[in-house]
Amino acid sequence: MNAPFFSHNRSNVTSKLDGGLLVLSAYCAIQRSNDTAFKFEQESNFWYFCGIEEPNWLLIVDGLAGKSWLVAPETNEVHKTFDGSLDYGAAKDVSGVDRVLSHDEGQDLLKDLAKRHSVAYTVFDSEHASRFNFSLNPALSKNKRTLERIFSSVRDCQKDIAALRAIKQPVEVEAIKKAVDLTVDAFEQVRSSISSFNYEYEVESSFTHYFRSRGATGHAYDPIVAGGLNACTLHYVKNNDKLSRRQFVLLDIGARKNGYSADITRTYALGNPTKRQQAVHDAVQQAQERVIEIIKPFLSFSEYQEKADKIMMEALLSLGLAKSVNDTEALHRYMPHAISHGLGVDVHDSLGDNKMFLEYMVLTVEPGIYIPEESIGVRIEDDVLVTNSGHNNISAKLSTAW
Ligand code: GLY
Ligand code: MN
Ligand code: MN
């Protein structure tokens, strides 16, 4: 992604905010232990508007004046020696902002802008964190507190940004396709020698090597390589167990490349599957094909969910896992996660406040059936673009067979 893309995004958001002032903070680095930090991952909204991958920067966009600035973090010679620092020229080239300012110049600019803007828009902490018991990166709330000292009103524009990010631009679709293609190629290579793997970690390392040796950032999320019963733990990421020829291995893996994510799942047999294993795999595969077929613009999400639930219920009935079409308890037990989510910079990208599919949304379709009492977990996941007349499954070229 290049400076014109980020400039375009900045002008889109400020017109949505009626020429308002947007002030976004990068994430800060998080301590791993003593004097080391976790590998840095940028806050995705901040990245979408400037492309900077470094911690502690600030982006200011004045919609009234049509100007934007990046503010560099306060840094000292010791930090520079250990972590490097992004020079101002590089920051300007990547982002296309008008000027790059020092920390003190940035503070002065905010005070000056407060004379013309009573409201500053920014991104507040996400609600997901409390739902999942995550700790939050403190950078966003710190930025909010700073703005509250300077401006009469500070408002959250997360929803306006989500609405923009939900509808992909052609250049973003191309980036997602590249991440998907790389992931598909890695799956093909692993699949061609699947019976030679003895441990889950061997499979994980093949993907990591494939992605990194081709210059991709790496994984878009922690890869899941789950043999047998492990596939029933939905976010299993230990990937340490021995693989058995008698069980499936579920692979949920996606590359991140040029800022965009892929998210693909296949479930393979290492030996000859039992009739039951094959039946579960066939049921998930048929369900997945049927669900993808429904997707088209202007279909409401509620109708999609209803239809997908019906398809999944039929799959469970065919396997003797549900008692009747009304057995919602079985549906929640054997298919306990969402059928779809948006995909983009974040692997779980927002679809905005939209209530229906719209052209240029990209989402996953990922039905699964998990039967811990039989040590069987099968999920099949593809990445789908909504087109003007229907959909395009952009990971369809990866076979579901092994
Ligand atoms: N890889 C996470 C998911 O499928 O949503
Ligand atoms: Mn997914
Ligand atoms: Mn996935």
Side-chain angles (χ1 to χ4, degrees), residues 141-158:
S141 53
K142 187 172 165 225
N143 179 41
K144 179 173 173 246
R145 284 194 302 277
T146 305
L147 296 175
E148 280 166 349
R149 283 197 292 273
I150 302 175
F151 293 88
S152 342
S153 167
V154 178
R155 292 195 202 143
D156 188 13
C157 63
Q158 173 94 46

Side-chain angles (χ1 to χ4, degrees), residues 221 224 252-253 263-265 341 347 364 366 379 381:
Y221 53 92
I224 298 171
D252 183 343
I253 297 178
D263 182 7
I264 298 178
T265 307
H341 57 78
V347 67
T364 66
E366 50 179 304
R379 175 164 68 255
E381 175 174 26

Side-chain angles (χ1 to χ4, degrees), residues 14 51 57 63 66 69 83 90 96 155 238 241 250 260 267 278 296 329 348 360 367 376 383 395:
T14 45
W57 284 71
W69 301 263
D83 302 320
R155 292 195 202 143
K238 290 197 184 104
D241 283 357
L250 182 154
Y260 284 78
T267 308
Q278 187 69 56
K296 60 178 182 191
E329 198 266 327
H348 290 177
Y360 281 116
I376 298 176
D383 302 337
S395 50

